């Protein structure tokens, strides 16, 4: 369902919001409807909506013919809203959720059917998160594999901008639904995120209880659009005087997504800066994230960064951790403390891309900044986070451009490993690839890298490792040949440097290696070692 049309521009959403806020309608919040998943125990699910000021609202949870619980509240006069927090409920269902408003002789009832309790995950970001199952490898097989996952429910938020924070979603593309081949493969960059769906499917296979997935994405968008003004201000980004627009695209062509003024950009010819969507500060936070902040969540997964490769690139090591911290605080407060203050936050480190005339493109810097310049997560600046490394999943032949690789199942699988370890506390699970914990010169005139985990050196690559060679007060990066290796260490030759070696880095290029052909992996999990840069005297883990 698309509730708003592009020709109506800014006017209809404002009128719609004004109508909702009058209290003339009694209803649930826009995302509370049939087939939804509510967050299970130990948290309590938040139920809220709109009504007549002063009215009494009773919310009843029913299973079969049995009333499980009742919660009573009243409609706030200043906001025309009501809210209750349900007692924690075990995973399962289906349930019926009924809300009744009474004011004088007026008695109105709203009912939501087939409600499940499980874990609710919000999925957000730009085009690599927005790509649908129709666009990925093995799409036909994936689209036919939905019957076993009817307890994995999906919701997709409409593309919408707003200048101010909206209390409720103005529109959704796909209301809560059971997965089908039609709603998972609705179009290109349209409706349900493939990464989100596959992540939920892998999670369901592990936890065996309902999973709710909310897709809120927009192609070609920088992190600034998804950040609140306060988090941007904390990173020194000026947010005053920016323009704001409403775009609610009706249709996207097979290989297109909508640009910032409603025009379409062919993703086979992505501009290098890749900012084709809304870029003004906070316009997507206001309309596509903040309206969800009263919801009780289990966690978030995020795939974004391409649009910042030439846009505030040097600030991403601040803006990304700041976004995580601000989202956590906002959802915690909005849900009356039911969403954990440090809820799990997973993300995809940027994959690979080919640039014809730009050897760097900002990709290596963004990958590094995604970890707050530490190379790994969780870390002190980004607690309770997890990362899927994707630099070895490049796709030269993608019809959507190499910036949009089609192997989203491996991405989702690696994300779900992180979720199992960080969000679900699974012990002794390898969820991240090997990273050096010690870098030092050896007696043989080599550079020795000792890893924190066992390593499998799949192939020798004499370009992927580089050393910073300094002489005459100038430094430059030179390739370092891989020399020898063992189960937990490898050595690099320093013969290319005739000066002083001061640093080493790994995979510092937009396209570090071909598909699953990076040199360093963990031997059993086959997770790739992430990119890193380190001064020789430093320990980086």
């Amino acid at each position: 369902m698309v509730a708003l049309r592009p020709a109506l521009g800014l006017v209809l959403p404002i009128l719609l919001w004004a109508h909702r806020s009058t209290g003339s309608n009694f209803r649930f919040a826009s995302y509370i409807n049939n087939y939804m998943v509510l967050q299970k125990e130990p948290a309590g699910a938040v139920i809220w909506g709109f009504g007549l000021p002063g009215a009494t609202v009773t919310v009843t949870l029913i299973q079969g013919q049995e009333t499980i619980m009742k919660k009573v509240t009243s409609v706030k006069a200043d906001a025309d809203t009501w809210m209750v927090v349900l007692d924690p409920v075990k995973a399962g269902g289906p349930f019926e959720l009924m809300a009744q408003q009474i004011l004088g002789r007026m008695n109105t009832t709203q009912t939501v059917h087939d409600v499940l309790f499980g874990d609710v995950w919000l999925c957000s970001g730009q085009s690599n998160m927005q790509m649908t199952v129709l666009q990925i490898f093995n799409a036909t097989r994936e689209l036919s594999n939905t019957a076993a996952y009817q307890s994995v429910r999906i919701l997709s938020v409409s593309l919408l901008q707003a200048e101010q924070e909206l209390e409720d979603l103005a529109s959704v593309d796909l209301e809560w639904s059971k997965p089908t081949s039609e709603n998972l493969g609705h179009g290109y960059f349209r409706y349900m995120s493939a990464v989100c769906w596959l992540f939920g499917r892998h999670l369901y296979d592990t936890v065996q209880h309902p999973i709710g997935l909310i897709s809120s994405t927009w192609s070609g968008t920088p992190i600034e659009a998804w950040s609140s003004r306060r988090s941007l201000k904390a990173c020194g980004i000026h947010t005053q005087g920016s323009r704001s627009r409403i775009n609610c695209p009706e249709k996207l062509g097979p290989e297109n997504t909508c640009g910032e003024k409603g025009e379409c950009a062919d993703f086979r010819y992505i501009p290098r800066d890749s900012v084709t969507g809304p870029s003004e500060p906070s316009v997507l936070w206001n309309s596509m994230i903040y309206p969800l902040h009263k919801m009780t969540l289990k966690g978030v997964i995020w795939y974004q960064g391409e649009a910042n490769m030439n846009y505030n690139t040097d600030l991403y090591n601040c803006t990304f951790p700041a976004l995580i911290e601000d989202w956590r605080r906002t959802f915690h407060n909005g849900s009356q403390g039911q969403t954990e203050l440090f809820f799990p936050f997973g993300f995809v480190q940027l994959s690979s891309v080919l640039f014809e005339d730009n050897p760097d493109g900002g990709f290596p810097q963004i990958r590094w900044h995604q970890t707050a310049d530490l190379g790994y997560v969780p870390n002190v600046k980004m607690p309770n986070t997890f990362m899927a490394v994707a630099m070895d999943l490049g796709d030269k032949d993608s019809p959507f451009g190499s910036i949009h690789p089609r192997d989203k199942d491996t991405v989702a699988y690696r994300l779900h490993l992180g979720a199992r370890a960080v969000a679900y506390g699974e012990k002794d699970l390898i969820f991240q690839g090997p990273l050096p914990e010690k870098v030092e010169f050896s007696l043989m005139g080599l550079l020795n890298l000792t890893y924190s985990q066992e390593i499998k050196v799949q192939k020798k690559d004499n370009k992927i490792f580089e050393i910073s060679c300094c002489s005459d007060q100038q430094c430059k990066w030179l390739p370092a040949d891989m020399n020898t290796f063992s189960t937990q260490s490898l050595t690099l030759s320093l013969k290319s440097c005739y000066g002083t070696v001061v640093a080493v880095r790994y995979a510092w290029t937009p396209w570090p290696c071909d598909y699953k052909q990076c040199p360093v992996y963990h031997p059993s999990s086959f997770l790739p070692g992430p990119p890193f840069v380190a001064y020789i005297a430093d320990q980086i883990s």
Side-chain angles (χ1 to χ4, degrees), residues 509-520:
T509 173
W511 191 279
C513 52
D514 288 336
Y515 183 75
K516 293 187 177 181
Q517 292 297 312
C518 280
V520 181

Side-chain angles (χ1 to χ4, degrees), residues 221-238:
T221 49
I223 195 170
E224 290 78 7
W226 298 99
S227 303
S228 73
R229 293 183 182 273
R230 61 184 164 271
S231 67
L232 294 176
K233 184 179 179 180
C235 294
I237 295 179
H238 179 68

Side-chain angles (χ1 to χ4, degrees), residues 60-70 94-97:
T60 307
L61 185 68
I62 303 166
Q63 187 171 34
Q65 301 299 315
E66 180 184 0
T67 295
I68 306 301
M69 75 179 77
K70 285 189 177 184
F95 294 85
E96 184 176 276
L97 191 65

